[in-house]
């Protein structure tokens, strides 16, 4: 089932969460255990992230440094299919522009369609660690998520990259895109970011999922601004339960978001990560209760592979 249909058919806030594919060299057991622990709360769909190349430097015996490009978490398509088949829950693999040519993206979308996966989250991805700005794949990759949405919409109409293709069967996808209540870090201001968000929606995105936020008012203001820009699709809030003391400084840096002082003050009082996790979970429960009371379409939790806190939130609110 498509995410947009799940949301539109449900009269209540639905539950979904995000998982990371296993690191190269690891089995999928941990991922299955994560799902097993959350299944009783009836997740309506599960997102699977995609991770592009990373750059590593290794010291050679001669003392020189060697640059290596590695992909630490391959396998999004395979793990997405395995989860959908094992649990009969729709999966939403993330598709990123960075590190992929248009042909590779088309092939991934064809594979997903063969596997019965009809949901994707279309993202640009970030630049490589040493890049100051995002660089599209040199083999003709997309520069922005909107171009990726265009490609998916073309495939929905049976338009493949090769114009001479015969029997051009349309592919069927529900498309989600990312939105940023506190603006994307590269955007000069929220209005310009919303112009680009509207372009993604006008191109054919069915819904928006937000970056994490710790102050619900930021989400409510964002939804209001989106509506005033003519963005009418559902806007799904993404919630990250804070799990470690250092995340009050790491998360703002990584995701260009604010941590409200009232919350940061409580986390600063913690002496251990276990204490910080309790405070972070309680904050996420309060956020979730308020969002559900305000009838958000879905509560989407960024698990980062940690289940006990996501489980406590789901138990408290669903
Ligand atoms: P875009 O929509 O392309 O926007 C990026 C920036 O470019 C914005 O500042 C926007 O305002 C600007 N922009 C857009 N169009 C134009 C234009 N035509 N001209 C000029 N500027 C423009 N990353 C991963 O690598 N893997 C994941 O699995 C992943 N999952 C995510 C899930 C969610 C819910 C979210 C919110 C983010 C996720 N990310 C993931 C991170 C995401 O890839 C980064 O935030 C990335 O920097 C931007 O992606 P985007 O799709 O929002 O890009």
């Amino acid at each position: 089932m498509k995410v947009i249909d799940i949301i539109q058919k449900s009269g209540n806030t639905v539950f979904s969460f995000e998982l990371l594919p296993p690191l190269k060299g690891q089995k999928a057991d941990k991922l299955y255990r994560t799902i097993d622990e959350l299944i009783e709360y009836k997740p309506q769909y599960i997102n699977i992230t995609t991770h592009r190349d990373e750059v590593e430097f290794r010291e050679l015996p001669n003392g020189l440094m060697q640059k290596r490009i590695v992909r630490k978490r391959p396998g999004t398509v395979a793990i997405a299919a395995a989860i959908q088949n094992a649990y009969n829950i729709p999966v939403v693999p993330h598709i990123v522009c960075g590190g992929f040519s248009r042909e590779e993206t088309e092939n991934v979308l064809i594979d997903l369609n063969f596997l019965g996966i009809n949901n994707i989250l279309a993202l640009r991805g970030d630049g490589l660690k040493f890049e100051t700005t995002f660089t599209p794949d040199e083999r003709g990759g997309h520069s922005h998520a909107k171009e990726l949405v265009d490609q998916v919409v073309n495939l929905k109409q049976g338009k493949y990259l090769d114009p001479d293709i015969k029997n051009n069967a349309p592919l069927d996808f529900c498309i989600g895109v990312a939105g940023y209540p506190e603006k994307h870090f590269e955007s000069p201001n929220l209005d310009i970011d919303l112009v680009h968000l509207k372009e993604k929606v006008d191109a054919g995105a069915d819904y928006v999922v937000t970056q994490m936020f710790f102050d619900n008012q930021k989400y409510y203001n964002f939804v209001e601004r989106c509506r005033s820009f003519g963005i009418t699709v559902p806007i799904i809030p993404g919630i990250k339960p804070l799990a470690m003391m250092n995340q009050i400084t790491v998360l703002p840096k990584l995701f260009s978001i604010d941590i409200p002082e009232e919350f940061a003050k409580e986390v600063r009082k913690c002496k251990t990560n276990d204490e910080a996790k309790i405070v972070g979970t309680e904050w996420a429960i309060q956020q979730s209760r308020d969002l559900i009371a305000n009838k958000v379409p879905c509560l989407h939790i960024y698990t980062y592979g940690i289940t006990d806190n996501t489980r406590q939130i789901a138990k408290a609110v669903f």
Side-chain angles (χ1 to χ4, degrees), residues 49-50 94 123-126 144-145 178 180 184 193 196 200 302:
T49 58
T50 287
H94 296 186
L123 300 147
R124 189 197 67 180
D126 288 320
H144 293 289
Y180 302 84
H184 183 259
D193 213 18
H196 296 310
K200 294 193 278 192
Y302 299 114

Side-chain angles (χ1 to χ4, degrees), residues 211-228:
Q211 181 59 279
M212 65 182 74
F213 55 87
F214 291 90
D215 175 357
N216 285 2
Q217 197 52 50
K218 298 232 158 110
Y219 166 80
Y220 299 133
N221 294 345
F222 177 67
V223 173
E224 211 180 297
R225 291 291 294 143
C226 285
R227 302 305 180 222
S228 73

Side-chain angles (χ1 to χ4, degrees), residues 116-185:
I117 296 173
N118 300 112
N119 290 289
I120 57 142
L121 188 66
L123 300 147
R124 189 197 67 180
D126 288 320
L128 288 167
K129 276 185 190 133
F130 65 86
E131 288 175 341
T132 46
T133 52
F134 175 84
T135 312
D137 188 273
E138 60 192 17
R139 298 161 298 163
H142 298 301
S143 304
H144 293 289
K146 191 257 175 195
E147 295 168 15
L148 176 54
V149 175
D150 287 337
Q151 181 175 14
V152 182
V153 169
N154 278 339
L155 287 165
K156 283 175 79 166
Q157 296 163 359
K159 291 185 204 150
Y160 291 74
L161 293 171
D162 176 359
D164 298 329
I165 213 155
K166 296 205 172 64
N167 303 321
N168 45 349
L171 304 184
D172 188 20
F173 285 106
C174 166
I175 310 169
V177 290
Y180 302 84
E182 298 174 64
K183 90 169 184 68
H184 183 259
F185 72 98

Side-chain angles (χ1 to χ4, degrees), residues 240-275:
K240 156 90 179 98
L242 184 134
M244 286 190 275
M245 290 186 291
N246 71 354
Q247 286 178 338
I248 53 166
T249 49
V250 171
L251 296 177
K253 208 163 132 188
L254 279 180
F255 299 107
S256 197
I257 51 159
D258 277 355
I259 306 271
E261 178 49 20
E262 185 194 346
F263 178 36
K265 205 161 96 188
E266 292 307 307
V267 178
R268 282 200 298 269
K269 285 183 199 160
C270 298
K271 304 257 178 315
T272 64
N273 281 333
D274 285 347
E275 284 177 23

